Amino acid sequence: MAEPIRVKELDPTLREEVAGLLKGYDFSNCLTCGMCTAGCKYSDLVEDNDPRKFIRKVALGLREEVENDPFVWNCNMCERCTVECPMGVNIAAITRAFRGKTAMPPGHLQHIADDHINTGNQMAVEQIDYDETLEWLEEELQKELNDPNYKIPIDKPDADFMFGFNAREIKHYPHELQTILHVFYAAKANYTLSSKRWDATNICLFTGKNDEFCEISRPLFEEVERLNAKELIVTECGHAFRSSRVFKRTYWQGKDFPVRHIVELYADWIKEGRLKLDKSKNPLPVTMHDPCNTVRKEGVYEPQRYVIKHVVEDYREMNPDGKYNICCGAGGGALAVAATKQQRMTKAKPKVDQLIATGAKIGCIPCHNCIDQFNDMNKFYKLGMKMHHLSTLIENALVPDDAPEAPAAE
């Protein structure tokens, strides 16, 4: 039998306090219908992962219980529950508000935030290492492109866009940045990188600490303003894209400019004929994951599908897709909380089932956070698949300018 709720344990001020933290999100319309739990793929897989129980504790004013509820950090903040909610209650926003009240977030989350504030990027890459990595990439691209005059544009004023990326593309996976810059070259893009602030990620999207969130994102936006770029293009990272969009909508008061995901730019270039592609170069069956921060939360769904259908021969959709997609299980900063590795693999099972059902040999994962989870689940569940970003598939399909046109598909 459940423990009785005692009236003296209820704090009627909690609702108002949480409402003040949510900045526009309203949870007072909750009907206690349980559709949030029905929509959550993890409520039956992981203990203390029931959104209905959590929001009822908030509504009742069970302050001590809710502030110590494991749900706060178990939740992946994927908003799959909100899609099913008839009243549109955003439980992820409530979760984030309670995270912001936590003095020391679990795992490496606070360490990542501190590094970003102190060094300008989440992985504490020093300026000399950043500069030398770009110099090395420039040399590699000169050889790859057979263009000894190729230069990576840095601090170029009045460019069409400034490119914001992920520190992992400098510290651990520079070949991924090389791939993107190759695609930029093929499209004859007028862009720039910043010499100062280039990391578009912001771990405080997950810790809920709004003052630190602003301290991390503001310098990136100030660089766009300083260089007078027409827009900010964010790399294949749902977390970086979402945090940049949130900062722009909620906090930025400087020059107005669009913030777009790189897949939107790729789609434009294909429509304009700026990328010459031969999808027969990607003959294996491919499926694509919809990152929660990109698709469900920010509504970018069609551009990546337009792109992938132009770069692979055999595209297979997962079901469900779009805003109803299943989170990979690593959202909400779970990758930085080491204790959740087994939990992440448990939560990965619904996505694994989706992958297997498609029969695809390649998973296209347009998100840095998600692809790390997919690589882990690939090994854990012995799927034998290849996992690639969309940029890699585009680069594979590129045709040199002097090559003949590929025959049209019949």
Side-chain angles (χ1 to χ4, degrees):
M1 178 179 292
E3 289 289 326
I5 297 175
R6 304 186 184 281
V7 174
K8 67 179 182 179
E9 297 174 350
L10 307 184
D11 183 347
T13 68
L14 182 61
R15 288 173 61 102
E16 185 176 348
E17 179 182 325
V18 174
L21 293 171
L22 292 182
K23 294 187 180 297
Y25 290 107
D26 185 6
F27 69 96
S28 63
N29 293 326
C30 174
L31 303 175
T32 70
C33 65
M35 286 301 293
C36 53
T37 299
C40 179
K41 292 294 180 181
Y42 309 133
S43 60
D44 293 331
L45 293 178
V46 176
E47 189 176 0
D48 297 316
N49 213 117
D50 188 327
R52 181 179 181 275
K53 289 181 180 178
F54 177 70
I55 196 170
R56 292 308 298 152
K57 292 175 185 178
V58 176
L60 288 168
L62 294 168
R63 179 183 291 276
E64 183 175 354
E65 187 170 344
V66 77
E67 288 183 351
N68 294 290
D69 195 326
F71 178 88
V72 172
W73 294 101
N74 283 349
C75 176
N76 289 99
M77 301 170 64
C78 76
E79 296 189 16
R80 185 63 177 75
C81 53
T82 299
V83 170
E84 302 294 347
C85 176
M87 304 306 291
V89 176
N90 193 313
I91 291 177
I94 303 172
T95 301
R96 185 178 184 274
F98 276 94
R99 287 183 175 195
K101 293 161 62 68
T102 304
M104 181 56 66
H108 307 297
L109 290 167
Q110 190 59 48
H111 177 72
I112 293 170
D114 292 342
D115 276 349
H116 207 145
I117 291 169
N118 295 329
T119 70
N121 66 87
Q122 65 164 321
M123 292 188 173
V125 175
E126 295 184 8
Q127 185 68 41
I128 188 171
D129 294 324
Y130 175 66
D131 295 339
E132 288 181 351
T133 299
L134 291 185
E135 289 173 9
W136 173 75
L137 286 177
E138 189 171 86
E139 293 171 0
E140 289 297 304
L141 281 162
Q142 286 172 353
K143 291 184 285 187
E144 180 184 357
L145 302 170
N146 194 27
D147 181 356
N149 297 316
Y150 171 80
K151 295 290 182 184
I152 297 174
I154 300 172
D155 290 344
K156 178 182 177 181
D158 307 318
D160 288 341
F161 65 91
M162 190 182 95
F163 182 49
F165 44 105
N166 188 313
R168 73 197 289 280
E169 291 171 318
I170 288 292
K171 187 164 186 177
H172 297 303
Y173 305 103
H175 64 279
E176 293 180 358
L177 181 56
Q178 182 176 338
T179 290
I180 294 169
L181 297 182
H182 183 183
V183 177
F184 287 0
Y185 178 87
K188 299 179 174 58
N190 173 24
Y191 72 99
T192 189
L193 307 185
S194 168
S195 63
K196 298 178 180 179
R197 294 299 285 253
W198 40 270
D199 186 351
T201 66
N202 191 332
I203 202 68
C204 295
L205 183 70
F206 306 136
T207 67
K209 298 185 182 300
N210 290 328
D211 54 343
E212 294 180 359
F213 179 82
C214 291
E215 192 172 353
I216 287 171
S217 285
R218 184 173 289 110
L220 180 75
F221 278 66
E222 289 173 345
E223 278 299 277
V224 180
E225 188 172 55
R226 178 180 75 87
L227 296 173
N228 198 36
K230 293 182 178 64
E231 63 180 336
L232 173 63
I233 296 294
V234 181
T235 192
E236 286 185 70
C237 177
H239 151 215
F241 176 60
R242 167 76 168 164
S243 60
S244 297
R245 279 273 186 94
V246 169
F247 179 79
K248 169 73 163 42
R249 285 194 298 264
T250 311
Y251 300 106
W252 177 241
Q253 297 179 342
K255 172 189 172 183
D256 188 28
F257 52 83
V259 176
R260 291 202 297 157
H261 195 288
I262 195 171
V263 300
E264 298 177 275
L265 185 67
Y266 287 158
D268 285 349
W269 285 345
I270 293 174
K271 292 173 185 176
E272 295 164 5
R274 292 175 61 173
L275 291 175
K276 193 174 180 181
L277 303 165
D278 178 3
K279 61 184 180 180
S280 70
K281 292 186 173 186
N282 289 313
L284 296 177
V286 179
T287 190
M288 183 167 61
H289 170 62
D290 284 319
C292 302
N293 281 309
T294 304
V295 179
R296 183 159 34 246
K297 298 180 184 180
E298 292 299 329
V300 179
Y301 170 79
E302 292 294 346
Q304 58 265 39
R305 279 164 177 76
Y306 182 86
V307 174
I308 202 166
K309 290 174 183 177
H310 281 79
V311 298
V312 306
E313 279 195 318
D314 184 356
Y315 175 60
R316 305 181 182 186
E317 195 74 79
M318 277 191 260
N319 182 32
D321 66 327
K323 70 177 183 179
Y324 294 101
N325 81 66
I326 299 173
C327 174
C328 67
L335 277 168
V337 183
T340 65
K341 175 67 183 291
Q342 182 57 48
Q343 185 183 105
R344 283 196 293 111
M345 291 302 99
T346 298
K347 289 183 172 183
K349 188 58 169 63
K351 182 58 69 173
V352 167
D353 292 341
Q354 277 191 302
L355 287 170
I356 293 173
T358 67
K361 301 298 182 184
I362 296 174
C364 177
I365 321 297
C367 173
H368 286 308
N369 184 77
C370 295
I371 204 168
D372 285 343
Q373 170 78 340
F374 273 76
N375 284 329
D376 283 348
M377 72 170 76
N378 196 17
K379 296 175 184 175
F380 187 86
Y381 288 99
K382 298 179 172 59
L383 300 179
M385 297 179 68
K386 294 180 180 179
M387 304 297 176
H388 293 310
H389 288 308
L390 188 54
S391 298
T392 300
L393 297 175
I394 295 173
E395 184 182 42
N396 289 348
L398 284 175
V399 177
D401 283 336
D402 57 354
E405 291 283 349
E410 295 184 3

